[in-house]
């Protein structure tokens, strides 16, 4: 085992707790979009620092909302900039765990490479080692990294899964639990075929892991209900979570509820309908309803 022992209270919570993971990790390119959806226009900031401060205010408001409660939410995925900021004088990850009993994760990928073999691999993560050390220092539990599958191309899908697991092993060696996220594009013409190849490749990679290695999987909601059932019972897999992948909140919840044991890790669907101009009462009521709906769909 790497630099530290994994927090067993957090591991148990992620493995068998009821609830879902809140993805608060839009970064770089998607930040202006996330802010615009929240009603903060690009004219409100003149540089990156101001933009990230506004994003942190939005995320702080979500995290501090009474509705953002461990009764419904198991974990939260943060972006690096959020991990390096504080809420009420505490590092964000510490605030999440100490005050809310919600397990903190960190998004570590640096975005996607260009499309090749029907997939987008992750760009090289140049400073991964230092980033993981900082995550350990900040009491983060695990990480998340995303690639995208656009076509049922066996070579491409094999490359995506191999890359994810290779980086995943490096992350686990530091004492962090990696969330492996090979997203299948929900608009892909051969989504179901992609999922067949993907499941096979994931099973292959799981079979090659050392006995003590643990990972989580974050996958698009499958075309065939309960398609990822076997992955859930694999001894290496802490939990299988689903991304909303561009489905609206209602449709994502509906599809999720058809998949037993699959829990949500939604970002866009979580912040839908929230606005900077809302009073705290309106904001809290809106997010409470969203959280409750995603929770219900996650505990089927």
């Amino acid at each position: 085992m790497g630099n530290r022992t994994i927090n067993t209270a957090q591991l148990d919570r992620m493995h068998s707790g009821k609830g879902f993971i809140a993805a608060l990790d839009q970064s770089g390119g998607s930040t202006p979009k996330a802010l615009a959806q929240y009603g903060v226009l690009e004219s409100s900031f003149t540089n990156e620092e101001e933009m990230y401060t506004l994003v942190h205010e939005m995320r702080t408001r979500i995290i501090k909302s009474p509705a953002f409660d461990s009764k419904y939410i198991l974990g939260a995925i943060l972006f690096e900039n959020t991990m390096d900021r504080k809420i009420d004088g505490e590092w964000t990850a510490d605030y999440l765990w100490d005050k809310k009993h919600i397990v903190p994760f960190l998004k570590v990928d640096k975005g996607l490479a260009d499309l090749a073999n029907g997939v987008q691999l992750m760009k090289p993560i140049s400073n991964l080692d230092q980033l993981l050390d900082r995550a350990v220092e900040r009491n983060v539990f695990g990480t998340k990294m995303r690639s995208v599958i656009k076509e049922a191309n066996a070579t491409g899908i094999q490359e995506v899964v191999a890359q994810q697991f290779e980086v995943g092993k490096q992350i686990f060696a530091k004492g962090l639990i990696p969330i492996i996220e090979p997203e299948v594009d929900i608009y892909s013409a051969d989504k179901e075929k992609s999922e067949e190849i993907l499941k096979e490749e994931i099973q292959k990679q799981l079979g090659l892991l050392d006995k003590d290695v643990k990972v989580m999987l974050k996958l698009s909601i499958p075309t065939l209900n309960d398609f990822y059932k076997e992955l859930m019972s694999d001894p290496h897999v802490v939990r299988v979570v689903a991304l909303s992948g561009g489905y609206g909140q209602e449709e994502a919840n509906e599809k999720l509820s058809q998949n037993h044991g699959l829990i949500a890790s939604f970002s866009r669907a979580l912040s839908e309908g929230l606005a900077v101009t809302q009073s705290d009462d309106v904001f809290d009521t809106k997010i409470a309803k969203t959280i409750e709906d995603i929770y219900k769909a996650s505990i089927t």
Side-chain angles (χ1 to χ4, degrees):
M1 194 58 222
N3 304 12
R4 64 153 181 190
T5 346
I6 285 163
N7 180 322
T8 48
Q10 293 182 340
L11 185 63
D12 290 347
R13 190 160 164 67
M14 288 320 308
H15 180 58
S16 47
K18 276 191 180 335
F20 68 95
I21 297 179
L24 304 172
D25 61 332
Q26 300 100 331
S27 59
S30 55
T31 303
K33 249 191 301 196
L35 279 172
Q37 191 185 340
Y38 182 56
V40 176
L41 303 177
E42 290 209 31
S43 53
S44 320
F45 49 90
T46 53
N47 56 37
E48 237 183 31
E49 179 52 31
E50 287 176 10
M51 175 180 81
Y52 285 132
T53 300
L54 288 166
V55 163
H56 191 62
E57 282 168 15
M58 172 177 88
R59 290 190 181 137
T60 298
R61 192 180 187 192
I62 291 171
I63 290 168
K64 287 183 73 173
S65 168
F68 201 81
D69 186 313
S70 62
K71 183 180 161 189
Y72 307 107
I73 298 169
L74 295 173
I77 304 169
L78 309 172
F79 160 59
E80 189 182 342
N81 192 281
T82 309
M83 174 182 79
D84 290 333
R85 289 176 187 257
K86 293 183 175 182
I87 296 178
D88 291 354
E90 268 194 273
W91 294 113
T92 305
D94 287 332
Y95 183 92
L96 277 168
W97 183 246
D98 299 344
K99 298 279 189 290
K100 294 275 185 165
H101 209 62
I102 289 170
V103 180
F105 289 85
L106 173 70
K107 168 189 148 72
V108 293
D109 67 76
K110 298 290 180 218
L112 301 166
D114 292 337
L115 189 68
N117 290 331
V119 302
Q120 287 180 280
L121 293 169
M122 294 183 286
K123 284 181 181 163
I125 311 171
S126 49
N127 62 339
L128 184 61
D129 240 17
Q130 298 92 303
L131 183 57
L132 296 175
D133 288 339
R134 220 165 72 244
V136 167
E137 212 174 285
R138 295 261 190 277
N139 297 320
V140 165
F141 169 76
T143 63
K144 184 208 89 142
M145 48 188 177
R146 170 175 170 262
S147 344
V148 175
I149 296 164
K150 299 266 191 192
E151 294 162 29
N153 179 315
T155 308
I157 294 173
Q158 197 175 359
E159 286 175 336
V160 158
V161 178
Q163 182 193 39
Q164 282 275 352
F165 273 82
E166 193 183 323
V167 181
K169 284 183 277 200
Q170 190 183 340
I171 290 164
F172 184 80
K174 291 276 188 185
L176 295 154
I177 299 283
I179 298 180
I180 284 170
E181 183 184 11
E183 173 181 345
V184 176
D185 188 333
I186 61 169
Y187 303 111
S188 152
D190 45 16
K191 178 172 178 281
E192 195 177 328
K193 182 68 190 150
S194 293
E195 287 163 349
E196 269 170 45
I197 302 169
L198 176 62
K199 182 163 84 168
E200 210 171 290
E201 287 303 324
I202 291 174
Q203 285 172 317
K204 223 180 279 178
Q205 287 290 344
L206 288 170
L208 298 170
L209 292 177
D210 288 346
K211 195 165 87 314
D212 66 332
V213 178
K214 301 271 184 217
V215 300
M216 288 173 61
L217 299 169
K218 180 168 175 169
L219 306 169
S220 304
I221 302 171
T223 305
L224 293 179
N225 290 336
D226 291 332
F227 185 64
Y228 293 128
K229 207 84 183 131
E230 301 97 308
L231 297 177
M232 294 176 191
S233 54
D234 188 288
H236 293 290
V237 177
V238 177
R239 203 73 182 250
V240 182
V241 306
L243 53 107
S244 48
Y247 292 124
Q249 194 183 303
E250 234 167 273
E251 194 180 356
N253 287 342
E254 175 50 41
K255 287 181 182 299
L256 183 69
S257 65
Q258 310 289 318
N259 285 272
H260 306 87
L262 192 63
I263 68 169
S265 174
F266 294 170
S267 55
R268 228 171 324 181
L270 177 70
S271 50
E272 215 174 273
L274 299 177
V276 65
T277 50
Q278 288 163 341
S279 68
D280 286 345
D281 280 355
V282 172
F283 181 92
D284 290 337
T285 305
K286 173 69 193 148
I287 197 168
K289 167 97 175 75
T290 300
I291 286 170
E292 230 160 283
D293 289 348
I294 298 175
Y295 173 78
K296 275 183 205 144
S298 291
I299 58 166
T300 47

